[in-house]
Amino acid sequence: MDRSDLAPLIDHTVLGPETTPDDVRTVLDDAQEYGMNACTPPYAVELAAEYAPDVTLATVVGFPHGHHDPDVKREEGVTAWRAGADELDVVLNIGRLKAGDDDAVSDELAELVAAVPIPVKVIIETALLTDAEKHRACEAARAADAAMVKTSTGFAAGGATTDDVALMSEYLPVKASGGIGSYDEAVAMLEAGADRIGASSGVAILEGAPTNG
């Protein structure tokens, strides 16, 4: 896969706790130069939408643990959409999933999906789940009419694996995220069934890709 084909599949990401407005602008500059999407913290959505209106912009909801009250998550998502977000990446309630309260997990996600007219990706945090829980998380996301499922926040130990991507792709399109730092790693995720790559190393991934001519 060459650079021009790969770039639109990458959400170039900056979500660390020390992320400054200048960090956001740098990521947006990279996204514009290389043709990537961007994923920024919620506080920076309005800034990002004004600074780089042509870049597809994602932000996060209930990040990074998913424990926010459902009403808070819904309002956070609506606020981000109104500020200019094109997509939302929401962390499902991992604690409720582990407790077996799958209906509550799905209902919470469905409320957010219904509240915004933009795609919602559901972060299931695969490193914290058993395979059975991963299946249930994907089922909850599909029942909620989510657009995609996403492997990881990048803040739990462990990240995306090709096995997890293959499992998740049985349910919905997959955004592979967490620890993907090279072209070869990105391509492996796509070959396993991913439709999107989330990475803070978007430039490094693309610099390793072949170019036309």
Side-chain angles (χ1 to χ4, degrees):
M1 177 176 288
D2 68 28
R3 187 179 299 178
S4 62
D5 291 329
L6 179 57
L9 306 182
I10 296 176
D11 290 358
H12 191 37
T13 302
V14 57
L15 292 171
E18 297 177 326
T19 298
T20 67
D22 282 345
D23 294 331
V24 172
R25 293 185 188 96
T26 297
V27 161
L28 293 168
D29 288 341
D30 291 340
Q32 289 186 115
E33 178 179 353
Y34 286 87
M36 296 181 286
N37 315 308
C39 185
T40 70
Y43 90 84
V45 168
E46 186 172 3
L47 177 160
E50 292 177 355
Y51 183 79
D54 295 331
V55 171
T56 297
L57 177 63
T59 194
V60 288
V61 174
F63 196 83
H65 299 307
H67 288 164
H68 298 49
D69 182 89
D71 290 343
V72 174
K73 281 185 175 176
R74 184 179 64 250
E75 189 59 33
E76 185 178 11
V78 170
T79 298
W81 160 58
R82 288 175 175 165
D86 299 301
E87 300 176 349
L88 303 176
D89 292 14
V90 58
V91 187
L92 63 67
N93 191 316
I94 300 162
R96 282 195 178 278
L97 183 82
K98 285 188 167 290
D101 200 354
D102 295 19
D103 286 344
V105 172
S106 184
D107 289 347
E108 174 187 284
L109 297 172
E111 287 184 11
L112 175 58
V113 169
V116 294
I118 56 177
V120 174
K121 313 184 201 86
V122 177
I123 307 172
I124 71 170
E125 201 68 285
T126 50
L128 302 182
L129 305 180
T130 65
D131 280 354
E133 289 167 342
K134 293 167 193 173
H135 282 289
R136 287 170 40 222
C138 290
E139 288 168 357
R142 185 170 62 184
D145 203 24
M148 303 182 79
V149 281
K150 177 178 170 181
T151 56
S152 314
T153 62
F155 286 86
T161 69
T162 53
D163 286 345
D164 286 339
V165 168
L167 180 156
M168 295 163 66
S169 67
E170 298 174 14
Y171 296 90
L172 287 168
V174 177
K175 177 176 173 179
S177 182
I180 303 169
S182 71
Y183 170 75
D184 288 343
E185 290 169 342
V187 170
M189 296 299 167
L190 295 170
E191 290 178 344
D195 299 88
R196 192 84 66 87
I197 302 294
S200 59
S201 303
V203 172
I205 290 170
L206 290 177
E207 288 293 338
T211 58
N212 287 323

